[in-house]
Amino acid sequence: MTVVTRFAPSPTGFLHIGGARTALFNWLYARGRGGKMLLRIEDTDRERSTQAAIDAILDGLNWLGIEWDGDAVYQFARAARHREVVEQLLAAGNAYPCYASPEELAQMREAARAQGRAKLYDGRWRDRDPREAPPGVKPAIRLKAPLTGETVIEDQVQGRVIWQNENLDDLVLLRSDGTPTYMLAVVVDDHDMAITHIIRGDDHLTNAARQKQIYDALGWPVPMMAHIPLIHGPDGSKLSKRHGALGVDAYRAMGYLPVALRNYLVRLGWSHGDQEIFSTEEMIAAFDLPQIGRSPARFDFAKLESLNAHYIRQTPDADLLAAVDRFLLYLPDGAALAAKLTPHVRAQWLQSMPSLKERAKTLIDLIDGAHFLLADRPIPLDDKAAALLTPDAKGVLIDISTELAKVEPWTPEATEHAVRAFAERKGAKLGAVAQPLRAALTGRTTSPGIFEVLTVLGKAESLARVADQAGSQSAR
RNA sequence: GCUCCCUUCGUCUAGCGGUCUAGGACGCGGCCCUCUCAAGGCUGAAACACGGGUUCGAUUCCCGUAGGGAGCGCCA
């Protein structure tokens, strides 16, 4: 049997991090078994579904590199089929019209709660003659669910989960306006799409019982189910916007690489021994349902960052620069930065990429680290750099610049030799010379190795930058 | 309130009755390296929620308690 999984988001917002993980799990499971992952847009809520949300979800999946097979199925378009199935159920006596008013329903709910009963709807129209229907009232159609016995789900993650049927009331299949409910639509669509494995959030576990009853009434086989625990915020509470329930586009904008996010997500609630780093192929080969944990995981930015730093270091320099190019599209001041990326600057960036990427946890960090390549002379000093350039330090700059002016050819070895020799002659530590130089050259107190910076900048630019800062002393 | 699920270091997790003086990763502390910051190497602190069983033996199995979570709509 070919494995067919599905990802079924409702387009009422962006693709959030939990949804992304669900999609990833479905994708990995199908890919690892030569199966397919289908995409279904659950857009039956006409009020809240938007095209913008659909676009955001597809965009998010694409960015993460999660591909679905075939065309996306739109649930709303299948309403006629859903109604047809209800007719079947009605004809077989497995469903019935219910004429209870919203007021009655509210009363039943209140009563049930007051009496501590699980069942909300009391089944008052279950066996009543429809001829007693109040005039002019359109009925909803309810499932005639079993009154006794139990409903059992053999969940691949949660194990065997059992509900007593006496606690489950007759759910609505068709609203009084004739539109299908989610519970019905999901079952019919999963069946028609030949889904073999339903992998979805834990929040659907109780729905699984109701859906099982629909499958049973229809005589359809129930797909394998796997309800994966939800992702929580760092404090253990439900993931909120404040935590990380952001759209995946927000992670993109924060400078995370899709490979890193995928690796982080796959290890959230799933493990494969002690392995932390997975290539896509490794993930696909290793992923399976029994290794999914049953308790909710907390979202931890620090770990995501460390994974991101790892993947940034792993990425070839040219690819990383290409990633920056794409990333600029999602940065507020990206256009201005893009304009600065002349062929000359790109070459410089590429040259210092090996040490720049070692210092970056995100693409934002990477761009920030390249600041000394992007800034115009006289380059602005940050507070620490400004504080470091004391009158004494500026004196050092004047002296070292005459030494550097003599260096030829301008190589890392030659500049290092000159600077070290100078420091030695002055009886100073290397740092006493390197730090003022760094401040003058980069405007910061941290940067790649100073001799590398000198090399990448070139002799003329380096001397000019040193002069910019040293000169401000003579003006004093 | 009702139904269902969950519980190993701060966090993600390994562990599927003895190999656990409980392993790895992130984070945190220290040391080394060092022109800064990183990276890297070495190293340290840090957990089986609690109480009963079952068993020769429980982190591992069962039952309670406590604490989390999800669902409870003619929303999805």
Side-chain angles (χ1 to χ4, degrees), chain A residues 89-389:
Chain A
L89 251 12
L90 241 16
N94 286 323
Y96 62 93
C98 167
Y99 295 88
S101 67
E103 296 72 37
E104 284 179 83
L105 258 15
Q107 281 171 12
M108 279 184 254
R109 257 195 295 279
E110 247 173 71
R113 178 154 250 181
Q115 294 165 34
R117 281 187 288 110
K119 224 169 182 169
L120 264 25
Y121 177 68
D122 62 8
R124 62 183 57 176
W125 284 94
R126 187 180 167 102
D127 298 308
R128 198 157 155 189
D129 192 330
R131 279 174 301 188
E132 293 175 35
V137 176
K138 294 247 192 219
I141 307 298
R142 288 182 185 267
L143 179 75
K144 196 175 262 183
L147 299 172
T148 56
E150 38 193 40
T151 293
V152 180
I153 296 290
E154 298 289 349
D155 194 273
Q156 299 299 295
V157 171
Q158 308 291 347
R160 165 177 284 198
V161 186
I162 303 170
W163 288 265
Q164 298 305 316
N165 286 333
E166 61 195 52
N167 290 324
L168 267 18
D169 60 10
D170 293 345
L171 65 279
V172 173
L173 299 168
L174 223 51
R175 300 187 190 94
S176 47
D177 66 0
T179 59
T181 60
Y182 161 80
M183 217 60 90
L184 191 248
V186 168
V187 171
V188 175
D189 291 348
D190 282 337
H191 176 261
D192 289 358
M193 290 164 78
I195 303 301
T196 60
H197 296 257
I198 296 174
I199 303 170
R200 76 227 301 192
D202 215 351
D203 49 339
H204 288 286
L205 185 56
T206 44
N207 290 337
R210 328 302 298 278
Q211 290 164 200
K212 168 77 158 58
Q213 294 185 325
I214 300 177
Y215 278 105
D216 289 350
L218 256 3
W220 290 347
V222 182
M224 286 284 208
M225 292 196 179
H227 288 90
I228 62 180
L230 267 18
I231 300 174
H232 286 182
D235 57 359
S237 66
K238 192 175 171 179
L239 204 52
S240 72
K241 227 171 193 171
R242 191 167 57 81
H243 297 132
L246 306 163
V248 294
D249 59 305
Y251 292 88
R252 173 169 60 196
M254 284 186 273
Y256 293 106
L257 264 22
V259 269
L261 192 55
R262 253 193 281 155
N263 198 146
Y264 177 69
L265 253 19
V266 81
R267 281 285 292 103
L268 212 53
W270 174 82
S271 62
H272 184 64
D274 284 341
Q275 189 169 352
E276 299 283 348
I277 305 290
F278 293 85
S279 69
T280 304
E281 296 69 37
E282 287 176 318
M283 270 183 210
I284 290 172
F287 186 80
D288 203 356
L289 272 11
Q291 288 81 36
I292 297 176
R294 278 148 306 164
S295 56
R298 301 184 187 201
F299 193 88
D300 181 14
F301 267 105
K303 189 141 187 177
L304 206 211
E305 273 205 344
S306 109
L307 235 19
N308 204 52
H310 168 85
Y311 280 104
I312 283 180
R313 275 180 257 127
Q314 295 298 300
T315 305
D317 301 341
D319 294 358
L320 210 43
L321 192 55
V324 169
D325 283 329
R326 287 192 300 275
F327 177 60
L328 256 22
L329 266 35
Y330 303 100
L331 258 196
D333 54 347
L337 273 169
K340 296 223 169 231
L341 289 178
T342 61
H344 177 64
V345 170
R346 300 180 79 90
Q348 287 182 310
W349 197 333
L350 228 35
Q351 195 183 349
S352 36
M353 195 66 99
S355 42
L356 247 23
K357 69 185 184 184
E358 201 167 87
R359 293 164 168 77
K361 290 189 187 303
T362 65
L363 293 179
I364 301 256
D365 291 348
L366 189 66
I367 291 169
D368 186 60
H371 177 258
F372 73 99
L373 298 174
L374 302 165
D376 297 316
R377 280 188 51 218
I379 63 161
L381 303 181
D382 70 14
D383 292 348
K384 285 178 183 167
L388 194 142
L389 287 180

Side-chain angles (χ1 to χ4, degrees), chain A residues 424-463:
Chain A
E424 219 164 290
R425 232 180 308 125
K426 293 275 178 182
K429 286 190 167 179
L430 185 56
V433 184
Q435 279 304 81
L437 256 185
R438 190 182 322 275
L441 293 171
T442 70
R444 308 273 176 89
T445 51
T446 65
S447 81
I450 198 65
F451 308 114
E452 186 188 329
V453 170
L454 283 166
T455 306
V456 171
L457 252 20
K459 186 171 183 176
E461 177 71 15
S462 296
L463 290 177

